[in-house]
Amino acid sequence: MVKLLPPFLFLLFVLAIALINAFSNEHLLISFPYNVLGLPILAIGLITAMAGKRVFKKLEANVMTFDEPTLLITQGIYQYTRNPMYLGFAVALAGFCILAGASTMSLLLTASFIVITDRWYIAYEEKMMRKKFGSDYETYCQSVRRWI
C-alpha cells in the first residue's frame, strides 16, 4: 500500500483547487481585491505547520506519519494544539482557497482535506500514540485539543 504523506496530500489539494478554479466556469465567490485576504491566512497556516515541524526537528523526534512515534511532544506549539502541522495545512489550504476565489468546489475540497486529515491521518497517529505512550498521552489529550 502506498502511504501518501500529509505534505503531498496538501500539495495535491492545492493543485486541484488551482486547476478547478483555472479551468472551470464556476462562479468565484470572492473576487479581487478581497481574495488577497487569503495571503495572510495562507502564510499563518504555513508558519503554524513549520512551527510544529521545527519542534520535532529540535527534539530529534520522528516526524514521519506512518513510522512509530519516538517521543510524546507537549512543548512549544504543542501546548495549544495536538496537531499543529495538520492545523497549519488546513489553514493554509483555506487561505489558498480564498486567494483562488473560493469557488464552491474549492471550498468542498478544503472541507474534504480537513475530514481526510482528521479521520485518516490523525486517527491513525492517535492510535499509535495511545499504544506507545498510554496514560501519558491520554493526560495530554485531556489538556490539549486535537485542532484548536
Side-chain angles (χ1 to χ4, degrees):
M1 179 175 124
V2 175
K3 296 177 180 174
L4 185 64
L5 295 175
F8 295 117
L9 181 70
F10 169 74
L11 291 175
L12 285 173
F13 272 77
V14 166
L15 181 63
I17 289 171
L19 290 173
I20 284 169
N21 287 354
F23 295 110
S24 79
N25 293 328
E26 186 180 353
H27 175 72
L28 300 179
L29 302 173
I30 302 174
S31 59
F32 183 80
Y34 305 107
N35 68 321
V36 178
L37 292 172
L39 274 176
I41 297 169
L42 174 66
I44 289 167
L46 293 176
I47 290 167
T48 301
M50 288 186 297
K53 186 172 182 179
R54 199 169 20 254
V55 174
F56 269 76
K57 292 293 183 187
K58 178 182 171 188
L59 298 174
E60 299 178 358
N62 173 37
V63 71
M64 299 303 288
T65 301
F66 299 105
D67 292 346
E68 184 177 339
T70 56
L71 186 64
L72 176 59
I73 299 175
T74 61
Q75 64 191 61
I77 196 165
Y78 290 89
Q79 297 173 79
Y80 310 106
T81 174
R82 294 195 317 256
N83 297 287
M85 289 183 264
Y86 296 125
L87 174 62
F89 287 148
V91 170
L93 194 60
F96 184 75
C97 177
I98 292 166
L99 189 61
S103 67
T104 304
M105 191 60 178
S106 65
L107 290 169
L108 290 172
L109 281 172
T110 301
S112 297
F113 177 84
I114 293 168
V115 169
I116 290 167
T117 300
D118 189 65
R119 300 295 179 221
W120 185 26
Y121 292 112
I122 293 174
Y124 175 81
E125 289 179 6
E126 286 182 343
K127 179 180 169 188
M128 297 296 290
M129 297 294 283
R130 281 185 175 87
K131 185 176 176 182
K132 174 96 180 202
F133 302 109
S135 63
D136 288 340
Y137 183 69
E138 290 300 331
T139 300
Y140 174 62
C141 288
Q142 291 172 4
S143 62
V144 178
R145 297 176 68 119
R146 176 184 273 180
W147 288 92
I148 50 174

